[in-house]
mmCIF file of all heavy atoms in Angstrom:
data_model
loop_
_atom_site.group_PDB
_atom_site.id
_atom_site.type_symbol
_atom_site.label_atom_id
_atom_site.label_comp_id
_atom_site.label_asym_id
_atom_site.label_seq_id
_atom_site.Cartn_x
_atom_site.Cartn_y
_atom_site.Cartn_z
ATOM 1 N N TYR A 103 -71.499 43.241 -30.541
ATOM 2 C CA TYR A 103 -71.872 42.030 -29.780
ATOM 3 C C TYR A 103 -73.131 41.398 -30.240
ATOM 4 O O TYR A 103 -73.528 40.474 -29.612
ATOM 5 C CB TYR A 103 -72.056 42.506 -28.333
ATOM 6 C CG TYR A 103 -70.752 43.026 -27.594
ATOM 7 C CD1 TYR A 103 -70.668 44.213 -27.015
ATOM 8 C CD2 TYR A 103 -69.775 42.160 -27.412
ATOM 9 C CE1 TYR A 103 -69.528 44.587 -26.420
ATOM 10 C CE2 TYR A 103 -68.613 42.394 -26.778
ATOM 11 C CZ TYR A 103 -68.443 43.736 -26.306
ATOM 12 O OH TYR A 103 -67.347 44.152 -25.639
ATOM 13 N N GLY A 104 -73.688 41.790 -31.315
ATOM 14 C CA GLY A 104 -74.868 41.181 -31.839
ATOM 15 C C GLY A 104 -76.122 41.867 -31.335
ATOM 16 O O GLY A 104 -76.144 43.102 -31.234
ATOM 17 N N LEU A 105 -77.103 41.076 -31.034
ATOM 18 C CA LEU A 105 -78.407 41.592 -30.596
ATOM 19 C C LEU A 105 -78.771 41.055 -29.130
ATOM 20 O O LEU A 105 -78.532 39.859 -28.887
ATOM 21 C CB LEU A 105 -79.538 41.180 -31.545
ATOM 22 C CG LEU A 105 -79.549 41.963 -32.900
ATOM 23 C CD1 LEU A 105 -80.385 41.214 -33.802
ATOM 24 C CD2 LEU A 105 -79.771 43.467 -32.738
ATOM 25 N N HIS A 106 -79.343 41.852 -28.335
ATOM 26 C CA HIS A 106 -79.838 41.460 -27.108
ATOM 27 C C HIS A 106 -80.965 40.348 -27.301
ATOM 28 O O HIS A 106 -81.678 40.359 -28.250
ATOM 29 C CB HIS A 106 -80.508 42.642 -26.349
ATOM 30 C CG HIS A 106 -80.749 42.460 -24.922
ATOM 31 N ND1 HIS A 106 -81.840 41.725 -24.495
ATOM 32 C CD2 HIS A 106 -80.157 42.872 -23.811
ATOM 33 C CE1 HIS A 106 -81.953 41.709 -23.196
ATOM 34 N NE2 HIS A 106 -80.836 42.392 -22.726
ATOM 35 N N ASP A 107 -81.073 39.331 -26.306
ATOM 36 C CA ASP A 107 -82.058 38.323 -26.464
ATOM 37 C C ASP A 107 -83.461 38.754 -26.437
ATOM 38 O O ASP A 107 -84.269 38.136 -27.227
ATOM 39 C CB ASP A 107 -81.880 37.338 -25.256
ATOM 40 C CG ASP A 107 -80.647 36.391 -25.455
ATOM 41 O OD1 ASP A 107 -80.159 36.210 -26.533
ATOM 42 O OD2 ASP A 107 -80.242 35.808 -24.445
ATOM 43 N N ASP A 108 -83.698 39.911 -25.949
ATOM 44 C CA ASP A 108 -85.126 40.419 -25.935
ATOM 45 C C ASP A 108 -85.493 40.921 -27.248
ATOM 46 O O ASP A 108 -86.601 40.850 -27.816
ATOM 47 C CB ASP A 108 -85.232 41.600 -24.921
ATOM 48 C CG ASP A 108 -85.300 41.231 -23.524
ATOM 49 O OD1 ASP A 108 -85.419 39.975 -23.259
ATOM 50 O OD2 ASP A 108 -85.209 41.975 -22.657
ATOM 51 N N ILE A 109 -84.468 41.476 -28.139
ATOM 52 C CA ILE A 109 -84.679 41.765 -29.581
ATOM 53 C C ILE A 109 -84.922 40.523 -30.377
ATOM 54 O O ILE A 109 -85.746 40.602 -31.119
ATOM 55 C CB ILE A 109 -83.576 42.720 -30.014
ATOM 56 C CG1 ILE A 109 -83.345 44.000 -29.276
ATOM 57 C CG2 ILE A 109 -83.660 42.973 -31.545
ATOM 58 C CD1 ILE A 109 -84.560 44.950 -29.338
ATOM 59 N N LYS A 110 -84.147 39.598 -30.080
ATOM 60 C CA LYS A 110 -84.250 38.274 -30.807
ATOM 61 C C LYS A 110 -85.749 37.721 -30.533
ATOM 62 O O LYS A 110 -86.310 37.233 -31.495
ATOM 63 C CB LYS A 110 -83.210 37.315 -30.462
ATOM 64 C CG LYS A 110 -81.833 37.641 -30.871
ATOM 65 C CD LYS A 110 -80.740 36.691 -30.414
ATOM 66 C CE LYS A 110 -79.469 37.076 -30.751
ATOM 67 N NZ LYS A 110 -78.395 36.135 -30.270
ATOM 68 N N LYS A 111 -86.148 37.843 -29.416
ATOM 69 C CA LYS A 111 -87.601 37.336 -29.055
ATOM 70 C C LYS A 111 -88.640 38.061 -29.734
ATOM 71 O O LYS A 111 -89.720 37.376 -30.010
ATOM 72 C CB LYS A 111 -87.824 37.342 -27.582
ATOM 73 C CG LYS A 111 -86.904 36.388 -26.784
ATOM 74 C CD LYS A 111 -87.121 36.567 -25.306
ATOM 75 C CE LYS A 111 -86.123 35.654 -24.469
ATOM 76 N NZ LYS A 111 -86.105 36.062 -23.049
ATOM 77 N N ILE A 112 -88.517 39.368 -30.091
ATOM 78 C CA ILE A 112 -89.664 40.018 -30.709
ATOM 79 C C ILE A 112 -89.487 39.939 -32.222
ATOM 80 O O ILE A 112 -90.397 40.406 -33.045
ATOM 81 C CB ILE A 112 -89.707 41.579 -30.274
ATOM 82 C CG1 ILE A 112 -88.462 42.315 -30.702
ATOM 83 C CG2 ILE A 112 -89.965 41.768 -28.834
ATOM 84 C CD1 ILE A 112 -88.553 43.834 -30.567
ATOM 85 N N SER A 113 -88.408 39.351 -32.709
ATOM 86 C CA SER A 113 -88.145 39.177 -34.114
ATOM 87 C C SER A 113 -89.227 38.270 -34.743
ATOM 88 O O SER A 113 -89.498 37.214 -34.188
ATOM 89 C CB SER A 113 -86.768 38.650 -34.380
ATOM 90 O OG SER A 113 -86.525 38.436 -35.712
ATOM 91 N N ASN A 114 -89.738 38.576 -35.934
ATOM 92 C CA ASN A 114 -90.711 37.679 -36.598
ATOM 93 C C ASN A 114 -89.887 36.704 -37.495
ATOM 94 O O ASN A 114 -90.446 35.727 -37.790
ATOM 95 C CB ASN A 114 -91.714 38.590 -37.495
ATOM 96 C CG ASN A 114 -92.487 39.467 -36.673
ATOM 97 O OD1 ASN A 114 -92.202 40.680 -36.595
ATOM 98 N ND2 ASN A 114 -93.583 38.893 -36.094
ATOM 99 N N PHE A 115 -88.724 37.136 -37.958
ATOM 100 C CA PHE A 115 -87.910 36.325 -38.710
ATOM 101 C C PHE A 115 -86.406 36.715 -38.525
ATOM 102 O O PHE A 115 -86.063 37.846 -38.527
ATOM 103 C CB PHE A 115 -88.373 36.567 -40.219
ATOM 104 C CG PHE A 115 -87.582 35.586 -41.164
ATOM 105 C CD1 PHE A 115 -88.084 34.405 -41.305
ATOM 106 C CD2 PHE A 115 -86.624 36.105 -42.030
ATOM 107 C CE1 PHE A 115 -87.418 33.450 -42.161
ATOM 108 C CE2 PHE A 115 -86.044 35.198 -42.894
ATOM 109 C CZ PHE A 115 -86.527 33.896 -43.016
ATOM 110 N N SER A 116 -85.587 35.694 -38.396
ATOM 111 C CA SER A 116 -84.285 35.913 -38.146
ATOM 112 C C SER A 116 -83.568 35.414 -39.430
ATOM 113 O O SER A 116 -83.645 34.288 -39.963
ATOM 114 C CB SER A 116 -83.704 34.955 -37.029
ATOM 115 O OG SER A 116 -82.293 34.967 -36.907
ATOM 116 N N LEU A 117 -82.776 36.361 -40.119
ATOM 117 C CA LEU A 117 -82.176 36.246 -41.335
ATOM 118 C C LEU A 117 -80.625 36.199 -41.322
ATOM 119 O O LEU A 117 -80.079 36.964 -40.496
ATOM 120 C CB LEU A 117 -82.608 37.296 -42.396
ATOM 121 C CG LEU A 117 -82.046 37.334 -43.749
ATOM 122 C CD1 LEU A 117 -82.480 36.026 -44.490
ATOM 123 C CD2 LEU A 117 -82.738 38.569 -44.435
ATOM 124 N N SER A 118 -80.025 35.306 -42.026
ATOM 125 C CA SER A 118 -78.597 35.266 -42.049
ATOM 126 C C SER A 118 -78.162 35.386 -43.524
ATOM 127 O O SER A 118 -78.813 34.683 -44.322
ATOM 128 C CB SER A 118 -77.986 34.116 -41.517
ATOM 129 O OG SER A 118 -76.617 33.914 -41.564
ATOM 130 N N PHE A 119 -77.107 36.103 -43.891
ATOM 131 C CA PHE A 119 -76.567 36.132 -45.245
ATOM 132 C C PHE A 119 -75.455 35.144 -45.273
ATOM 133 O O PHE A 119 -75.165 34.728 -46.410
ATOM 134 C CB PHE A 119 -76.008 37.466 -45.542
ATOM 135 C CG PHE A 119 -77.117 38.489 -46.009
ATOM 136 C CD1 PHE A 119 -78.357 38.274 -45.768
ATOM 137 C CD2 PHE A 119 -76.780 39.636 -46.655
ATOM 138 C CE1 PHE A 119 -79.382 39.150 -46.159
ATOM 139 C CE2 PHE A 119 -77.580 40.577 -47.104
ATOM 140 C CZ PHE A 119 -79.048 40.365 -46.868
ATOM 141 N N SER A 120 -74.909 34.651 -44.179
ATOM 142 C CA SER A 120 -73.694 33.861 -44.209
ATOM 143 C C SER A 120 -73.381 33.445 -42.726
ATOM 144 O O SER A 120 -73.670 34.217 -41.813
ATOM 145 C CB SER A 120 -72.490 34.532 -44.882
ATOM 146 O OG SER A 120 -71.362 33.862 -44.740
ATOM 147 N N LYS A 121 -72.571 32.470 -42.684
ATOM 148 C CA LYS A 121 -72.070 32.087 -41.236
ATOM 149 C C LYS A 121 -70.831 32.955 -41.074
ATOM 150 O O LYS A 121 -70.213 32.942 -39.978
ATOM 151 C CB LYS A 121 -71.634 30.619 -41.220
ATOM 152 C CG LYS A 121 -72.835 29.699 -41.350
ATOM 153 C CD LYS A 121 -73.705 29.836 -40.123
ATOM 154 C CE LYS A 121 -74.838 28.891 -40.321
ATOM 155 N NZ LYS A 121 -76.008 29.239 -39.300
#
Side-chain angles (χ1 to χ4, degrees):
Y103 290 122
L105 292 168
H106 192 282
D107 285 340
D108 290 349
I109 299 296
K110 293 177 183 181
K111 288 176 189 169
I112 64 167
S113 177
N114 298 99
F115 187 75
S116 173
L117 179 62
S118 175
F119 278 17
S120 171
K121 296 295 180 198

